[in-house]
Amino acid sequence: MKKILTMMLMMASVLFFACSDDDDETLSPDEAKTEIDQVSTDMSTYMNEMENSDGMAALNALMTKPNPFAVGKSSDYSNSEVFKNIQKYLLPANYMELKSNEKAIAENSFDFNDWVGTYTWNATDENWDIQSNTPPDKIIIEYPTEGSQTNNATLTIHTYEDVEITETDDYGTYTWYQPTNIVADIYVNDIKVVDISMNANWITSGETAGEPTSMDVSVYLTPFEFTVDFSHSGNNASVGASIIFDNSQLFSTGLSAFFEVPEMDDTPLTINGYLQFLNVRFNVSINAKTIEEILEGMEEEPYPYNTPEELIAALNQEFDANVSVDGVKAADIELAIIENTQTIDIVFVYSDGSTESAQPYFSSFIADVNAFLTSLENYYSNW
């Protein structure tokens, strides 16, 4: 999963390759530059709002409390993973690393029916009061948010199911559990701030044990909504995702890749789809395998291209590219040679034929996104 996502998103977002429906209408160079440059500033602002949302604050308050499943009944590793998995699938940053890196051995899956009931934080005893089987079909956890003198927050786990994953390597056999169905929500002062619905299918044994074959996740984390879907069938893999703020789409992507073999052990033959940040959209169509072969051929003797321009021409044949703003074409995207260094650059080609490096426009945006994802990881490091 990580390899597929990394391959598809990196090639699309870093190379900014895009093919698309050419539109007769185009923006002027000045309009295009202004719109493309503004997307970084706007995204940074929204990212800061997400990090400081009420949903984040509610989760943080719960993380400061002991694990309620560690008291009252025998607890093992799988029980402690329930909250970690709910947290994991709330945050888009975590979808790049879904396979467990820990070789922890869990004796049992999480038996949802064995843990149904109400868990109420007792501030006097600093522990949980437990009413088992009340209600008989849900897990309800009542606790205070930061600064509250009452249990004003409620996490309800409506469904939690998992499947056993078994992996054998040179050091032994390891067993852990991956969630297949999660439905949960959090209310603070009777206002919903978190809602998650997740379904997944996993490879349960063999060399690729612990990798998903399909996944469908929908998250509401006030004031944001996320959706992620992934599928791998035969030689094809696809990823779709979106981030919505106050009914406005901040980010969305739909990418598909076709591989030479179902195991997807090599570079995909083709990648198609789009990436969109606010109103700026990059559509993607790449002959990825051919591009890789061209670059590898640069090390062969004799050198297959007489000039750098011949190399660039060969690469440019393997993708079509443009960027649009609000559905209006802003610029084509091509590869070019930087004259003073003879290195390859990615450039915007504007409607008047002028060109400009595409990379500076996105360097600050990429830095903002990376910083945001890192901060989320640190924010939840003590879960």
Side-chain angles (χ1 to χ4, degrees):
M1 176 68 165
K2 181 179 182 182
K3 179 170 63 178
I4 295 167
L5 282 171
T6 301
M7 179 79 69
M8 294 165 71
L9 295 177
M10 184 176 295
M11 290 192 71
S13 62
V14 177
L15 297 181
F16 304 120
F17 291 153
C19 75
S20 74
D21 320 307
D22 283 336
D23 199 313
D24 291 334
E25 183 180 4
T26 60
L27 297 177
S28 70
D30 288 341
E31 290 173 328
K33 294 175 185 180
T34 299
E35 292 289 348
I36 294 171
D37 194 34
Q38 184 63 32
V39 71
S40 175
T41 301
D42 292 343
M43 284 297 291
S44 179
T45 300
Y46 285 121
M47 294 294 190
N48 288 333
E49 291 193 39
M50 175 182 169
E51 186 174 12
N52 296 308
S53 70
D54 292 338
M56 291 288 194
L59 285 169
N60 188 46
L62 181 58
M63 284 188 286
T64 64
K65 302 292 185 286
N67 178 7
F69 301 144
V71 295
K73 296 181 182 181
S74 62
S75 179
D76 65 17
Y77 174 82
S78 60
N79 297 335
S80 67
E81 287 295 281
V82 171
F83 295 105
K84 292 182 180 179
N85 282 329
I86 292 175
Q87 174 264 329
K88 177 186 294 185
Y89 293 99
L90 283 176
L91 301 174
N94 294 324
Y95 287 80
M96 297 297 282
E97 186 66 74
L98 294 181
K99 184 173 180 177
S100 175
N101 288 324
E102 301 178 5
K103 298 300 185 183
I105 298 176
E107 295 179 0
N108 302 292
S109 67
F110 181 76
D111 189 342
F112 180 82
N113 292 326
D114 194 40
W115 293 91
V116 294
T118 300
Y119 301 75
T120 304
W121 180 250
N122 186 320
T124 302
D125 296 338
E126 295 189 346
N127 215 326
W128 298 98
D129 294 333
I130 301 173
Q131 294 177 284
S132 297
N133 299 307
T134 304
D137 59 347
K138 300 175 184 177
I139 295 172
I140 298 176
I141 301 174
E142 301 171 339
Y143 63 98
T145 57
E146 183 178 1
S148 177
Q149 302 302 311
T150 62
N151 291 329
N152 62 326
T154 303
L155 164 65
T156 303
I157 305 175
H158 301 270
T159 302
Y160 188 96
E161 299 173 354
D162 55 27
V163 64
E164 182 180 275
I165 309 295
T166 302
E167 181 179 7
T168 301
D169 60 22
D170 294 339
Y171 300 96
T173 298
Y174 307 93
T175 300
W176 72 95
Y177 294 85
Q178 292 281 32
T180 57
N181 191 2
I182 300 174
V183 180
D185 55 53
I186 297 178
Y187 282 78
V188 176
N189 297 321
D190 298 323
I191 298 174
K192 183 185 289 188
V193 296
V194 172
D195 194 313
I196 178 171
S197 175
M198 174 268 195
N199 287 278
N201 292 300
W202 305 88
I203 299 171
T204 58
S205 61
E207 293 182 358
T208 56
E211 297 284 353
T213 58
S214 66
M215 183 172 296
D216 188 358
V217 185
S218 176
V219 171
Y220 172 70
L221 181 62
T222 181
F224 294 85
E225 294 179 52
F226 313 120
T227 61
V228 176
D229 61 83
F230 164 78
S231 66
H232 165 209
S233 177
N235 296 45
N236 294 284
S238 63
V239 177
S242 68
I243 300 177
I244 297 171
F245 173 80
D246 195 23
N247 295 320
S248 297
Q249 183 171 275
L250 305 186
F251 166 83
S252 67
T253 183
L255 295 170
S256 62
F258 180 76
F259 291 79
E260 195 165 6
V261 294
E263 292 76 16
M264 298 188 292
D265 290 332
D266 204 354
T267 302
L269 298 177
T270 59
I271 299 175
N272 296 280
Y274 74 93
L275 285 164
Q276 181 161 342
F277 309 102
L278 296 174
N279 60 338
V280 178
R281 177 175 172 127
F282 301 87
N283 298 295
V284 179
S285 180
I286 311 168
N287 294 325
K289 185 68 173 179
T290 305
I291 289 175
E292 181 183 67
E293 291 171 350
I294 291 173
L295 296 176
E296 289 176 348
M298 293 171 61
E299 301 177 2
E300 298 177 359
E301 295 289 348
Y303 186 68
Y305 304 101
N306 294 319
T307 65
E309 287 72 22
E310 286 187 8
L311 169 63
I312 292 301
L315 291 172
N316 279 331
Q317 287 293 319
E318 302 307 325
F319 68 91
D320 296 312
N322 77 33
V323 54
S324 63
V325 179
D326 291 324
V328 179
K329 182 178 176 180
D332 289 311
I333 300 175
E334 296 179 359
L335 296 179
I337 293 291
I338 302 175
E339 292 184 4
N340 59 335
T341 62
Q342 291 296 293
T343 56
I344 298 175
D345 193 13
I346 303 152
V347 298
F348 290 131
V349 182
Y350 297 111
S351 57
D352 62 355
S354 63
T355 64
E356 185 177 22
S357 175
Q359 298 186 53
Y361 283 95
F362 286 86
S363 59
S364 60
F365 172 79
I366 292 171
D368 288 339
V369 171
N370 287 338
F372 173 70
L373 298 182
T374 299
S375 69
L376 287 183
E377 182 178 354
N378 294 335
Y379 193 77
Y380 286 98
S381 61
N382 295 319
W383 180 279

